[in-house]
């Protein structure tokens, strides 16, 4: 590989044996969920991927090193540490140079996964174009990464803390296919759908894998979004979550929260305001995505 990257033994072995590997991000652990549910969920998600016939590779920066695959102790460190830096593309080189810890966002996880030749990545939700971005210009680096880096992201769409319509427009402009997994509409994270159509509906892992394979074999760089709705039993009521999100967005404006703090602030406010219900939904959707992601990784691996 290279001197900046260290693969766990499990991931190293999987690569040698030609097994499918699924990348997982760490900002969802450090900034997306409270302790201890964050660590428990991270472990359970890894196990779902193993049960699905693939090998999990949770990615983070630890003491300046890119780690692909984390031990139980390392997951615990990220889950407990309240001051772990949120690491997106701009942050990686500095955190490495100064030997710090960093929890990788979707963008940074894609970068590290691509370096380790892991084309499939599972998470909860991607960043996107924030509401009011026409003035704030707050557009997640996740979208630009999806435009350039060859990793597919299996997620449950994006939270409506974002402007989902503008997020879809941005992805279209950048040539990033958004595929609805067994759905015609973009899932809105806590709810199964939104008013926005996806670019394509795919009904099985084989179609998703064939699309990715064709794209990359043609030399068309960039990622793809595979949007998998939250299981119905865990989906939240549209009105309940909409009101909570509107209030949280208002608070960011009132309190002048900007930059990389915006998304973690919103996630925390939503968790607090829904008294655990949104956390339960969040956990359920990530687990569902892990099962689908393992299947897509296994199918793509056979084709490669
Ligand atoms: N959205 C969620 N949960 C998350 C994130 C986004 O529903 O945990 C995290 C992801 O790591 C994502 C990042 O890549 O926030 C986006 O942050 P920003 O908007 O600052 O780019
Ligand atoms: Mn931002």
């Amino acid at each position: 590989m290279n001197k900046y990257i260290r693969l766990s033994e499990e991931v190293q072995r999987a690569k040698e044996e030609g097994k499918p590997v699924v990348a997982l991000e760490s900002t969802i652990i450090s900034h997306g969920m409270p302790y201890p549910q964050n660590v428990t969920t991270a472990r359970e998600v890894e196990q779902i991927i193993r049960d699905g016939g693939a090998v999990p590779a949770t990615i983070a920066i630890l003491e300046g090193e890119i780690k692909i695959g984390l031990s139980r102790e390392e997951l615990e460190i990220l889950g407990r540490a309240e001051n772990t830096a949120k690491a997106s593309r701009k942050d990686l080189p500095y955190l490495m140079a100064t030997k710090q810890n960093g929890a990788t966002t979707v963008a940074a996880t894609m970068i590290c996964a691509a370096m380790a030749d892991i084309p499939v990545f599972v998470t909860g939700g991607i960043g996107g174009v924030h509401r009011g971005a026409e003035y704030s210009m707050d557009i997640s680096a996740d979208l630009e990464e999806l435009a350039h880096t060859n990793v597919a992201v299996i997620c449950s769409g994006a939270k409506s803390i974002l402007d989902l319509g503008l997020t879809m427009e941005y992805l279209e402009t950048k040539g990033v296919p958004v595929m609805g997994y067994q759905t015609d509409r973009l899932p809105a994270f806590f709810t199964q759908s939104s008013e926005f159509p996806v670019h394509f509906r795919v009904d099985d892992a084989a179609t998703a894998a064939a699309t990715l394979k064709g794209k990359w074999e043609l030399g068309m760089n960039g990622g793809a979004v595979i949007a998998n709705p939250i299981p119905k039993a865990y989906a939240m009521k549209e009105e309940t979550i909409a009101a909570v999100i509107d209030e949280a967005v208002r608070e960011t404006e009132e309190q002048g929260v900007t930059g990389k703090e915006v998304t973690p602030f919103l996630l925390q406010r939503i968790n607090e305001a829904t008294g655990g219900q949104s956390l339960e939904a969040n956990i359920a959707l990530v687990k569902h995505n892990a099962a689908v992601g393992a299947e897509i990784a296994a199918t793509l691996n056979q084709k490669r």
Side-chain angles (χ1 to χ4, degrees):
M1 195 71 45
N2 69 48
K3 63 180 178 181
Y4 299 105
I5 301 186
R6 192 182 298 275
L7 272 56
S8 70
E9 240 172 73
E10 185 187 18
V11 173
Q12 180 74 44
R13 201 169 342 111
K15 300 218 67 106
E16 283 163 12
E17 293 171 359
K19 283 195 188 151
V21 180
V22 173
L24 297 161
E25 64 156 307
S26 44
T27 294
I28 189 175
I29 302 172
S30 64
H31 293 73
M33 291 185 192
Y35 183 85
Q37 289 94 335
N38 55 359
V39 176
T40 315
T41 303
R43 290 209 187 106
E44 288 173 356
V45 164
E46 290 193 343
Q47 193 52 45
I48 290 167
I49 288 168
R50 290 189 193 99
D51 294 343
V55 170
T58 305
I59 293 176
I61 312 300
L62 290 174
E63 294 174 8
E65 202 171 47
I66 298 176
K67 292 267 188 157
I68 314 278
L70 303 182
S71 67
R72 287 176 79 91
E73 295 70 35
E74 289 168 336
L75 280 179
E76 189 72 24
I77 289 170
L78 284 169
R80 275 177 186 275
E82 276 159 19
N83 52 359
T84 301
K86 174 180 158 189
S88 191
R89 171 175 272 272
K90 72 175 191 310
D91 309 292
L92 279 188
Y94 174 78
L95 292 173
M96 292 170 67
T98 52
K99 307 222 179 307
Q100 296 188 57
N101 291 351
T104 51
T105 64
V106 168
T109 305
M110 287 178 72
I111 294 169
C112 301
M115 285 176 186
D117 192 27
I118 302 171
V120 174
F121 161 26
V122 162
T123 189
I126 56 169
V129 181
H130 279 261
R131 298 187 193 177
E134 58 271 43
Y135 298 106
S136 68
M137 289 194 60
D138 189 349
I139 300 173
S140 175
D142 293 355
L143 300 186
E144 209 60 40
E145 210 57 54
L146 280 160
H148 298 298
T149 301
N150 299 5
V151 173
V153 182
I154 290 92
C155 63
S156 297
K159 289 193 173 91
S160 59
I161 55 173
L162 304 171
D163 186 320
L164 297 183
L166 291 187
T167 301
M168 285 300 289
E169 291 294 345
Y170 198 96
L171 289 167
E172 179 174 17
T173 299
K174 296 291 178 174
V176 179
V178 178
M179 296 182 258
Y181 198 76
Q182 300 172 350
T183 182
D184 298 302
R185 305 228 157 237
L186 181 71
F189 198 90
F190 294 119
T191 56
Q192 288 197 304
S193 76
S194 66
E195 64 185 285
F196 303 100
V198 291
H199 301 145
F200 311 102
R201 177 191 176 113
V202 296
D203 282 316
D204 48 47
T207 311
T211 306
L212 298 171
K213 180 175 186 266
K215 173 173 166 131
W216 293 329
E217 279 186 353
L218 282 167
M220 296 174 70
N221 282 335
V225 175
I226 297 162
N228 181 38
I230 182 173
K232 199 167 185 185
Y234 292 93
M236 294 182 70
K237 274 218 181 69
E238 169 74 41
E239 314 84 71
T240 314
I241 194 66
V244 168
I245 287 175
D246 288 349
E247 174 58 24
V249 170
R250 234 189 333 269
E251 283 177 38
T252 54
E253 286 156 16
E254 278 166 17
Q255 299 186 28
V257 181
T258 56
K260 71 194 279 186
E261 309 305 333
V262 172
T263 299
F265 179 88
L266 288 167
L267 299 179
Q268 197 190 337
R269 291 300 298 126
I270 293 166
N271 281 343
E272 288 164 3
T274 59
Q277 205 197 341
S278 70
L279 181 59
E280 201 188 342
N282 200 341
I283 292 169
L285 66 85
V286 181
K287 289 183 178 175
H288 189 212
N289 295 342
V292 170
E295 196 184 346
I296 292 172
T299 312
L300 185 63
N301 198 52
Q302 283 164 10
K303 290 178 186 284
R304 291 220 297 173

